[in-house]
Amino acid sequence: MLRALYTFLIIAVLSAIAIWLADNPGELVMHWRGYEIRTSFVIGVAAMALAAFLALFFYRIVVSFIETPASVSAFLEKRRQQKGFLALSRGMVAVAAGDAGEAKRYAAQAHKLLDAPPLTLLLAAQAAQLEGNEAAATGYFEQMLAAPETEFLGLRGLFIQARRAGDRDKALAYARRAFELRPQTPWAAQAVFEIEAAEEDWDGALKTLDRTVGAKLIPRNDARRRRALLLTAKAMTAEEAARMQTGEARDAALQEAARLAAEAVTLEPQFAPVVALAARLHAATGKYRKGARLIEEAWRAEPHPDLADVWLDMIEGETGYDRAARAASLAARNPDHVESHILAARGAIGARDWKAARAALSRYVGPDACEAPTQRICELMAEIEEGEFGDRGAARGWLARALHAPEDPQWTGTGYRAHRWSPINPATGEFDGLSWTVSATAAVPGLAGEDLPEPRSPASSEAGAEAAPEADASAEKASEVLVFRPPLPDDPGPDDDAGSEARGERKW
């Protein structure tokens, strides 16, 4: 309605102007080079309007003719970019689908059509990886180092290539360069730390840890534990070095190791390997009471065989009776724990107090047993039987029972199981990758719940004595460290390193 009204008003105004001009015709006179042009005012205005229109029309034709090449070029460039991004998208889809041939073809198209090195080079590198051409993938990543905007991406790709190839030196160099370039990047900091720890470069790992904490890339609690384990590893290295020295040099090395271990204990006061090392070093430097106090506090919280080993060997030249008394005193600080019973039994066996040793293990053996004995308890019972009565038949029975008894906890990690703790998993190179637990491959209890064999006749005992070496060898084989390396899984590309640890991939 309003539009019709506006149209009517415009027509009315134009009609009024036409009527006014008709009532007032007037004349328009123009003199030019001796000529006189005379016409009415309306015709003159119409002629000038037509001339202006024709001039503007020809002007637009000329301008359009001049701008046509640029317009055509812009159109072709836009179309080329559209084709390039389409090829890039299809190439990414091909990489995700695992189609190496399509990914390579679309990567070549995208590189030809687009001027976007970060995207096209990355697609080309991933296509080469998918095809198995590691040399070509490395070459594409090296090309990225030339430009500042793609340097970090190239360093990450080269780091992953070096890690796959097992070249720890190159991987560390690329990771350090990436960490220097972008200190706030978690993967670079973690990679540098892991490689330095795997190479047992404890000082370098401590410096990297400080920078990581300063960048707030890990929680404070995790940083405290890492520092404690690194200091423990340094103390272990210093202790090993002290064994090769004599005199004042040995004493100085032991003092330094004790200092590092003491600092580690302040960060992780309940971690058994740290406490055991600190106590052993304190004892080696003459600070028996300080070392004993550390073990007593840790034993009250969580008994552990490492603590028991150090406790029994702290005092040189100690009699068996004194050692048994000290073992009983430490066991009394946590009397219900299985390690306390084992410690008391070990001390009593050392003192040849067989009655006390049996009493310490009565909860697991004998008519009043309420729990199944583990392998170590069976081995201790074999030692008691042979030491007290010289009954090798009963001892062999306990050793045979140990082969099928529930396993004791060990330091277990991916592809590794041992009685001795290590700051890194020797099978994978993972830092702090061991936990004190029963392995998933532990033997299912078999003979653990069966009764002991009846006492044998002298003839059977002699026959059993001949078979004793075979049983001892089997027991030794069952108790030795198990180390195996799982098969490496397929690695699909540079973006799939997050779950490698969970699958058990060997890092170094």
Side-chain angles (χ1 to χ4, degrees):
M1 184 66 180
L2 292 177
R3 178 178 294 181
L5 180 61
Y6 292 152
T7 304
F8 177 76
L9 291 175
I10 293 173
I11 293 174
V13 170
L14 292 177
S15 299
I17 294 174
I19 294 171
W20 184 83
L21 290 174
D23 292 339
N24 303 277
E27 287 185 345
L28 183 63
V29 180
M30 183 177 63
H31 295 276
W32 181 65
R33 296 181 63 84
Y35 293 95
E36 179 179 323
I37 302 173
R38 187 183 296 269
T39 184
S40 66
F41 176 77
V42 176
I43 294 176
V45 171
M48 287 188 293
L50 179 61
F53 172 77
L54 293 175
L56 181 61
F57 176 74
F58 285 111
Y59 170 77
R60 292 303 304 169
I61 290 177
V62 173
V63 170
S64 298
F65 180 77
I66 295 174
E67 292 179 350
T68 294
S71 300
V72 172
S73 178
F75 172 76
L76 295 177
E77 177 66 21
K78 184 178 180 180
R79 186 177 179 183
R80 187 166 62 89
Q81 288 183 355
Q82 290 177 346
K83 289 184 177 180
F85 282 114
L86 180 61
L88 186 65
S89 301
R90 290 177 177 175
M92 292 295 183
V93 172
V95 169
D99 191 341
E102 288 293 304
K104 185 177 180 181
R105 183 167 66 86
Y106 285 124
Q109 291 181 9
H111 185 71
K112 180 180 179 181
L113 296 172
L114 289 179
D115 185 18
L119 298 177
T120 57
L121 288 176
L122 177 60
L123 177 58
Q126 289 186 333
Q129 287 179 328
L130 199 61
E131 196 178 23
N133 192 347
E134 300 296 336
T138 302
Y140 289 123
F141 286 124
E142 288 177 348
Q143 292 180 38
M144 297 183 187
L145 301 181
E149 61 272 12
T150 60
E151 181 180 5
F152 187 78
L153 182 60
L155 288 172
R156 176 169 173 77
L158 290 172
F159 163 75
I160 294 175
Q161 291 291 105
R163 193 178 69 175
R164 288 178 183 171
D167 193 337
R168 186 184 298 175
D169 294 335
K170 285 187 177 180
L172 179 59
Y174 293 135
R176 280 178 174 169
R177 184 173 170 183
F179 191 39
E180 293 292 337
L181 192 63
R182 297 186 184 180
Q184 302 294 332
T185 306
W187 76 262
Q190 182 67 16
V192 174
F193 179 84
E194 286 180 353
I195 299 175
E196 290 175 339
E199 289 185 339
E200 299 186 3
D201 183 7
W202 312 125
D203 292 327
L206 281 169
K207 293 179 181 178
T208 303
L209 179 62
D210 291 337
R211 294 185 60 187
T212 305
V213 173
K216 298 181 180 180
L217 297 179
I218 60 173
R220 287 285 179 178
N221 291 337
D222 293 347
R224 286 174 61 88
R225 179 171 178 83
R226 287 189 180 187
R227 181 176 295 280
L229 299 190
L230 290 173
L231 292 173
T232 303
K234 284 189 65 176
M236 293 170 63
T237 303
E239 183 187 24
E240 292 177 0
R243 295 175 183 174
M244 308 299 295
Q245 301 174 357
T246 58
E248 295 182 358
R250 180 178 183 275
D251 295 339
L254 287 175
Q255 291 289 346
E256 175 64 15
R259 183 189 66 81
L260 293 171
E263 185 179 351
V265 168
T266 60
L267 298 173
E268 283 288 335
Q270 305 300 332
F271 192 53
V274 178
V275 177
L277 177 63
R280 183 171 65 247
L281 290 171
H282 284 317
T285 55
K287 300 177 182 178
Y288 298 101
R289 291 185 178 180
K290 189 172 182 179
R293 187 164 56 252
L294 291 176
I295 293 180
E296 290 170 353
E297 293 175 356
W299 193 271
R300 186 181 292 109
E302 184 63 30
H304 195 278
D306 291 353
L307 302 175
D309 293 341
V310 176
W311 181 265
L312 292 174
D313 298 333
M314 282 186 67
I315 302 177
E316 295 183 2
E318 187 180 28
T319 64
Y321 294 101
D322 293 337
R323 184 176 299 170
R326 285 198 308 108
S329 67
L330 181 61
R333 295 182 179 275
N334 200 329
D336 296 330
H337 200 279
V338 61
E339 292 297 337
S340 295
H341 294 278
I342 293 176
L343 173 61
R346 291 175 62 186
I349 290 173
R352 305 185 66 80
D353 187 352
W354 311 115
K355 183 177 181 180
R358 287 181 181 273
L361 300 179
S362 61
R363 182 175 179 177
Y364 309 95
V365 298
D368 299 330
C370 57
E371 296 183 26
T374 62
Q375 292 180 353
R376 283 195 298 157
I377 294 176
C378 292
E379 292 169 358
L380 289 175
M381 285 303 302
E383 191 172 353
I384 292 172
E385 291 290 349
E386 185 171 2
E388 183 177 10
F389 302 115
D391 190 347
R392 299 189 65 185
R396 286 194 303 273
W398 278 107
L399 291 177
R401 189 171 177 177
L403 295 176
H404 302 276
E407 286 192 1
D408 295 278
Q410 298 182 45
W411 292 110
T412 305
T414 303
Y416 181 81
R417 188 168 80 244
H419 293 287
R420 183 180 179 184
W421 176 81
S422 173
I424 61 174
N425 185 341
T428 63
E430 179 185 2
F431 179 76
D432 193 18
L434 304 180
S435 59
W436 182 253
T437 183
V438 177
S439 172
T441 59
V444 177
L447 298 177
E450 300 180 4
D451 295 332
L452 286 175
E454 297 294 335
R456 303 182 181 183
S457 62
S460 62
S461 299
E462 292 177 1
E466 296 177 359
E470 182 178 354
D472 294 341
S474 300
E476 182 180 357
K477 182 178 180 181
S479 61
E480 67 183 1
V481 174
L482 172 63
V483 179
F484 61 91
R485 298 180 180 177
L488 294 179
D490 293 334
D491 193 343
D495 297 328
D496 192 44
D497 63 320
S500 61
E501 297 179 17
R503 295 194 301 269
E505 178 183 348
R506 179 178 176 86
K507 293 182 179 179
W508 310 112

